[in-house]
Amino acid sequence: MKAQDRVESRQRVRVRIRARDVALAIARPAGLSVLNILPAAIVAISAEEGPIAEVQVRVGRLPLLARITRRSVQELELREGRPGYALVNAGSPDRASGGDARPAAFRVHGR
């Protein structure tokens, strides 16, 4: 980590989490190397046809987008309002540029 990349405790930063780096679960998973398991609620599922669906979830007050297969949507019986978990690998978040405000970008407090 470079000195300019360090985040001070309680400092607000903006991170970008790509939809392709978010997995969804309907029950809290265990025994994974992924440690970022966030309680989430399904807000919307894209209506477009095709093998891939974009699923918007809410983690607390923050929006997050997941890109998963339509088969997963069906097998998990995902629907608006359903609670579940968003899984984000620690290597996925990127520090975003100052003005980037994509739907999957949100501010978190540094620890």
Side-chain angles (χ1 to χ4, degrees), residues 76-111:
L76 295 173
E77 298 178 356
L78 298 181
R79 61 187 176 283
E80 291 180 22
R82 181 163 192 177
Y85 296 88
L87 290 71
V88 181
N89 195 328
S92 298
D94 292 329
R95 287 283 296 269
S97 61
D100 191 3
R102 297 179 187 186
F106 59 91
R107 281 183 261 177
V108 297
H109 292 283
R111 294 183 186 198

Side-chain angles (χ1 to χ4, degrees), residues 29-72:
L32 299 175
S33 63
V34 175
L35 300 178
N36 297 307
I37 302 171
L38 310 169
I42 307 295
V43 174
I45 301 170
S46 63
E48 294 87 28
E49 296 294 322
I52 302 298
E54 289 192 344
V55 181
Q56 183 179 2
V57 300
R58 188 153 304 280
V59 176
R61 298 178 312 163
L62 306 172
L64 189 63
L65 197 61
R67 186 169 294 130
I68 63 174
T69 64
R70 291 236 173 251
R71 180 178 174 186
S72 292

